[in-house]
């Protein structure tokens, strides 16, 4: 049974950094399509980043150069390093996995976590001005 549990969220001032981690069980994060999504209050969910089996990544424009998605195969986790945080980054962050694919269909970044079939419960990130 696939299970994803996010951690690492918290409150930080603008310009600060946080590192989110998603612990996976029931499958190996190695060689699987995975991603991070977020949802702010009153807004639609949006994709943040996706990563393929070969570490090829894709980010939304607003986090390019500030966020880095990576996997730790030894710990079986998906991580998201978030730097230079802005108040508009405030949201609940979710990780997602689609164990059917090694390479994420590129539409996944913009279509939503529902495409992945598996999503965690989320971790809150709050950035104050």
């Amino acid at each position: 049974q696939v299970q994803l549990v996010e951690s690492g969220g918290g409150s930080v001032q603008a310009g600060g950094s946080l590192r989110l981690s998603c612990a996976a069980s029931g499958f190996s994060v190695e060689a699987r399509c995975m991603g991070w999504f977020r949802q702010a209050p009153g807004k639609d969910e949006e994709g943040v980043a996706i990563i393929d089996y070969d570490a090829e990544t894709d980010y939304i424009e607003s986090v390019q150069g500030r966020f880095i998605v990576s996997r730790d195969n030894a710990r079986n986790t998906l991580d998201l390093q978030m730097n230079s945080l802005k108040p508009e980054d405030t949201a609940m962050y979710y990780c997602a996995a689609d164990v059917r694919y090694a390479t994420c269909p590129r539409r996944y970044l913009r279509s939503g976590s529902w495409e992945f079939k598996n999503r965690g419960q989320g971790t809150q990130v709050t950035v104050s001005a």
Side-chain angles (χ1 to χ4, degrees):
Q1 182 179 355
V2 173
Q3 190 171 16
L4 302 167
V5 179
E6 301 92 338
S7 63
S11 297
V12 65
Q13 288 192 323
S17 298
L18 282 173
R19 186 176 183 87
L20 306 184
S21 188
C22 171
S25 59
F27 74 104
S28 173
V29 300
E30 187 175 9
R32 288 293 177 264
C33 162
M34 298 191 72
W36 284 97
F37 292 77
R38 66 186 181 186
Q39 187 164 22
K43 294 188 177 182
D44 293 335
E45 181 192 79
E46 68 172 348
V48 175
I50 56 175
I51 184 168
D52 298 334
Y53 76 102
D54 58 357
E56 185 74 21
T57 56
D58 199 2
Y59 299 88
I60 56 170
E61 187 174 349
S62 62
V63 307
Q64 281 274 5
R66 299 188 299 123
F67 289 12
I68 301 171
V69 61
S70 62
R71 52 164 57 92
D72 185 326
N73 296 333
R75 293 168 53 230
N76 209 39
T77 62
L78 179 73
D79 300 320
L80 184 68
Q81 178 65 42
M82 304 187 296
N83 302 319
S84 302
L85 282 161
K86 304 175 181 180
E88 52 263 43
D89 294 318
T90 295
M92 184 72 79
Y93 283 71
Y94 302 90
C95 77
D98 193 335
V99 299
R100 299 171 298 172
Y101 296 111
T103 299
C104 298
R106 277 308 173 260
R107 70 175 189 275
Y108 275 21
L109 183 61
R110 290 160 183 82
S111 59
S113 64
W114 64 271
E115 291 253 36
F116 283 76
K117 311 302 183 188
N118 301 285
R119 196 186 80 166
Q121 293 300 305
T123 186
Q124 178 67 39
V125 172
T126 302
V127 185
S128 57

